[in-house]
Amino acid sequence: MDERIIATNIKRIRTARNITLQELADRTGLTKGYLSKVERSEKAPPYSTLSKIAGALGFETTDILKEEIGLPQDQPLFFAKKADGKIIRESRHYVGYDYEILASGKPGKNMEPFIIYAPDEFTSMFQHEGEEFIYVLEGRMEFRYGEETIFMEAGDHAYFDSCTPHAGRSIGEQRAKLMVVIYFYKRNRQ
């Protein structure tokens, strides 16, 4: 397999979906520099890494290996079955967090919806551009936003500017299950 085909397909998909290298790094747990090298065909990723990149882009690994790859056109409605979702286990970037990317096949999104399972301990504070919405589906959690601490349970929700450092952890015996939607207002539209 020609590395240039893989590199070209990764970059083509990423740019068609308006995903920055940093966003792809955040989704995969890989560094922005490493992904840049992959796209410039300086470093061939192993299959496991390629699989991680493909999943973050909403593609199958085998599709990225193809010489001719078709990109889905933007569509006003995107639908996915529950069975289509995959739980992504914690990465070094999201230590303790397991998450499921929702609407992963929808190109040109301005929002990133997830189902997240919060860790039992605080791992690190997150801070990024945009706005975020958290809705507790199951369990209870302690949520830190800047200097403020809020205790949340099923049905509670928060909407906030995600430029302020924030993090959450499960409390009690059940791991907190959250629906999270991140809105990137600086993202370029197609």
Side-chain angles (χ1 to χ4, degrees), residues 103-134:
S104 64
K106 171 74 170 104
K109 293 184 292 196
N110 288 311
M111 297 183 294
E112 290 292 340
F114 301 92
I115 298 294
I116 293 180
Y117 298 86
D120 294 330
E121 299 295 329
F122 287 105
T123 54
S124 62
M125 298 291 275
F126 297 96
Q127 187 174 5
H128 50 86
E129 72 174 34
E131 297 176 341
E132 194 163 333
F133 175 78
I134 296 175

Side-chain angles (χ1 to χ4, degrees), residues 5 13 17 25 41 46 72 77 89 115 158 174 181:
I5 292 171
I13 294 166
R17 294 194 168 182
S41 194
L77 172 66
R89 299 296 174 199
I115 298 294
Q174 180 182 9
V181 179

Side-chain angles (χ1 to χ4, degrees), residues 43-109:
K43 189 165 178 80
Y47 190 84
S48 60
T49 301
L50 184 59
S51 177
K52 191 182 291 189
I53 294 169
L57 293 171
F59 269 72
E60 295 296 323
T61 307
T62 53
D63 289 337
I64 291 181
L65 300 174
K66 294 178 183 174
E67 220 167 306
E68 294 292 322
I69 187 168
L71 295 175
Q73 299 301 312
D74 198 15
Q75 44 198 239
L77 172 66
F78 177 83
F79 174 77
K81 298 289 279 180
K82 180 180 178 180
D84 296 337
K86 295 176 188 164
I87 300 293
I88 299 170
R89 299 296 174 199
E90 69 176 286
S91 67
R92 67 180 172 79
H93 188 74
Y94 295 109
V95 176
Y97 288 86
D98 292 341
Y99 59 100
E100 179 181 350
I101 299 172
L102 303 174
S104 64
K106 171 74 170 104
K109 293 184 292 196

Side-chain angles (χ1 to χ4, degrees), residues 124-181:
S124 62
M125 298 291 275
F126 297 96
Q127 187 174 5
H128 50 86
E129 72 174 34
E131 297 176 341
E132 194 163 333
F133 175 78
I134 296 175
Y135 184 91
V136 180
L137 297 166
E138 299 173 1
R140 298 179 346 185
M141 76 172 232
E142 178 182 354
F143 178 64
R144 290 187 184 164
Y145 182 75
E147 300 297 317
E148 193 171 350
T149 299
I150 301 168
F151 293 92
M152 302 174 72
E153 57 189 38
D156 292 348
H157 53 277
Y159 189 107
F160 55 93
D161 180 335
S162 48
C163 294
T164 300
H166 56 281
R169 73 175 183 97
S170 296
I171 52 177
E173 293 186 20
Q174 180 182 9
R175 197 166 181 197
K177 180 179 179 181
L178 319 168
M179 178 164 69
V180 177
V181 179

